Amino acid sequence: MTRPPTAAQRRVIDAADPVTGRLKGTEAQLAALVKRGLAFRHPRPPHDHFLTPAGHRIREAVEPAAAEPAARAQTAADGVFAARVGGEETAPDAGPARLREVCGAWQGLLELRRMTRRDGATDRPCDWERTHLVQAAALALEAAGHRPAGPEVRGYRVRATPQPEAVAVYEPDGTALRACAATLERAGWQVGEHTEPRTNSRYLLASPRRT
């Protein structure tokens, strides 16, 4: 691709589903994105269009200072899905609607793995997960039924680390921490258990598995 997307095409890219990369737009817009290698048409009905890895990179190529508040505003305004990382001051209701939302997001992520791999494998994290480590790990945990920490609730907390492609998972209960490790390993992450030197508390260091 030698030219950047047009303003209309960029709006379609920016509006893509944050997890699956599913696109909505006119046939002409979607066809133009396919021609540029930024999208592909799913071969099975209903033949939806999805971002390619190159399309995801375009979508993420925004000024960080402007992107973060914009993403927060969009999430608050129209309910864009966000996995529970633990420790939020306010959290969505943990009822059946949330469960359906989480399960749908996880299934969408597995489909994204399948569609973006030549072998169609879903046992390893995809490029989107590698650029959204905290949210990807949190989604795997929440989808498996682990309880995120709340203002008055003990549970997991997923946090970024200075290490490339690694997140830390904290859980005060040792049994629950080991269960989190098993879930992440099944989801295609490499996991090691470590001890925090200052507090002597145990935590997980998890990275997306490549092979």
Side-chain angles (χ1 to χ4, degrees):
M1 186 184 70
T2 58
R3 293 179 292 111
T6 66
Q9 291 168 350
R10 183 59 197 253
R11 285 194 294 273
V12 173
I13 292 172
D14 289 343
D17 185 282
V19 175
T20 65
R22 187 166 64 90
L23 295 163
K24 293 182 179 179
T26 67
E27 287 298 324
Q29 289 170 333
L30 297 173
L33 291 175
V34 171
K35 186 176 181 180
R36 288 170 175 254
L38 300 177
F40 67 93
R41 185 173 182 264
H42 198 286
R44 295 203 302 264
H47 301 298
D48 286 332
H49 288 73
F50 297 83
L51 289 176
T52 63
H56 277 285
R57 288 193 292 271
I58 290 289
R59 187 176 187 273
E60 299 301 327
V62 295
E63 292 295 329
E68 186 175 350
R72 288 200 301 266
Q74 185 180 21
T75 298
D78 60 14
V80 173
F81 176 82
R84 291 284 309 278
V85 301
E88 296 92 344
E89 293 183 4
T90 58
D93 178 52
R98 176 65 182 181
L99 180 60
R100 288 193 298 270
E101 194 174 34
V102 171
C103 289
W106 176 246
Q107 290 303 315
L109 185 55
L110 292 180
E111 181 69 1
L112 182 60
R113 289 183 179 186
R114 187 187 68 77
M115 291 187 301
T116 54
R117 285 217 176 79
R118 291 182 180 178
D119 60 1
T122 61
D123 61 340
R124 299 183 307 281
C126 61
D127 289 344
W128 182 89
E129 292 169 271
R130 296 179 189 282
T131 58
H132 299 77
L133 293 170
V134 171
Q135 187 175 355
L139 177 56
L141 293 174
E142 189 177 1
H146 295 278
R147 182 174 60 186
E152 300 179 358
V153 178
R154 288 158 60 95
Y156 71 77
R157 297 172 186 262
V158 183
R159 297 293 182 264
T161 73
Q163 300 189 38
E165 288 206 353
V167 295
V169 179
Y170 301 91
E171 164 60 75
D173 181 88
T175 300
L177 183 67
R178 289 187 289 275
C180 287
T183 290
L184 290 172
E185 287 172 350
R186 288 193 298 270
W189 295 65
Q190 292 178 312
V191 184
E193 191 171 333
H194 302 268
T195 301
E196 180 70 45
R198 290 176 296 178
T199 63
N200 207 36
S201 60
R202 302 291 287 173
Y203 70 98
L204 305 176
L205 198 63
S207 301
R209 184 164 56 85
R210 290 189 177 277
T211 58

